[in-house]
Amino acid sequence: MKTIGIDIGGTKIAVGMVDQQGRIVSQSSFPTHPQRGFADALSRIMDAVEKLTTEHDQSHGPLCGIGIGCTGPIDPIRGTIHNPHILPTWNDCNLVAPLRERFGVPVRMENDADAAAYGEFRFGADAGAGSDPIVMLTFGTGIGFAAIVHGQVYRGLSGSHPEFGHIPTPIDESLQEACAAPCYCGIRSCFESLASGTAIDTAGQLGGFKDSRAVFKAACSGDATAKKIIDRALNATSSAIWTIAHSFVPQKIIFGGGVMEDHFDLFAFAARQSILNATMIPGKQVRIVKASFGANAGVVGAAALTIA
Ligand SMILES: [Zn+2]
């Protein structure tokens, strides 16, 4: 048996064939081009799935399903996308029904953060597999959050998804100037606006650095401005992890996303320190671990949604 995982982001769509053990057999990717409209993207997604299934028609058994992880908000129950920020022309577009009709297999869609967490839960050897509940934070353009509880993606009202990237985090008064503008969520100094890759990039550019990579490098060399930006991100992470650990008391908190590729140890240390001496939860037993699948988390996670 094999399955298809489709990972849809604001800039790139990846389509992969995945076996029953969560290993990618083959994959391709192409630009999202959201400005060209949903029909254009749907046609290219169909073609990519068709190509993969044709090429691997005789290997890994029959196709058992198609999973989609899409940048949210989405409605996982109706299978529709509602993302005015990143996919502005895709409002109320149904991706699930046309794929189901064309390929004749079950199709399931989740928010991309939920899909990545589910992939870690099913197949993440060092991360989520064998643990329940788990939560996952994806540090990238934003900060995605997902929780797997009793083996299921945790859902809120109408299938919505908790947004711990947008919880308020207390910050030092002396650091206020770099986060004067409110986040698109509606508040100032939420977790994402201080600790995402975009937040570090933006604060770095205001401080004269090219990008977040330059900020991390300068902070390591002792540059005061860079250090302030990174300290603020770490303080926000500590605060958020305190809240998340007390909300879910998870076995594992998984850190994924581009920022964690090079800086996991730094953020994990801050997170561990935050809950080490908690008295109301077993903070010492909550493990902070790095995601297993790196850049493939989206495709593996999406595919995992339909693997029995
Ligand atoms: Zn926010």
Side-chain angles (χ1 to χ4, degrees), residues 64-103:
C64 65
I66 298 174
I68 306 157
C70 182
T71 176
I74 62 151
D75 183 332
I77 297 164
R78 293 176 57 228
T80 49
I81 299 165
H82 310 266
N83 188 331
H85 300 292
I86 300 174
L87 302 170
T89 60
W90 293 28
N91 195 33
D92 205 24
C93 293
N94 193 317
L95 186 54
V96 169
L99 282 166
R100 188 190 292 135
E101 200 169 298
R102 167 98 167 252
F103 296 98

Side-chain angles (χ1 to χ4, degrees), residues 120-132:
E120 294 289 350
F121 172 73
R122 290 295 307 274
F123 299 116
D126 299 322
S131 302
D132 190 351

Side-chain angles (χ1 to χ4, degrees), residues 247-263:
S247 301
F248 288 90
V249 199
Q251 283 197 27
K252 290 179 180 168
I253 298 175
I254 302 168
F255 282 2
V259 176
M260 290 302 127
E261 291 300 310
D262 293 326
H263 307 293

Side-chain angles (χ1 to χ4, degrees), residues 219-282:
C220 282
S221 309
D223 180 276
T225 304
K227 201 165 174 311
K228 192 190 259 192
I229 294 167
I230 300 302
D231 282 348
R232 195 177 62 214
L234 295 175
N235 288 340
T237 302
S238 295
S239 169
I241 292 302
W242 174 270
T243 301
I244 291 166
H246 283 74
S247 301
F248 288 90
V249 199
Q251 283 197 27
K252 290 179 180 168
I253 298 175
I254 302 168
F255 282 2
V259 176
M260 290 302 127
E261 291 300 310
D262 293 326
H263 307 293
F264 169 77
D265 289 343
L266 191 63
F267 282 77
F269 180 78
R272 286 188 189 109
Q273 291 300 112
S274 165
I275 53 176
L276 205 55
N277 297 317
T279 59
M280 300 304 290
I281 59 165

Side-chain angles (χ1 to χ4, degrees), residues 165-167 183-187 190-193:
H166 297 283
I167 54 174
C183 172
Y184 60 89
C185 71
I187 64 165
C190 67
F191 180 24
E192 175 174 308
S193 71

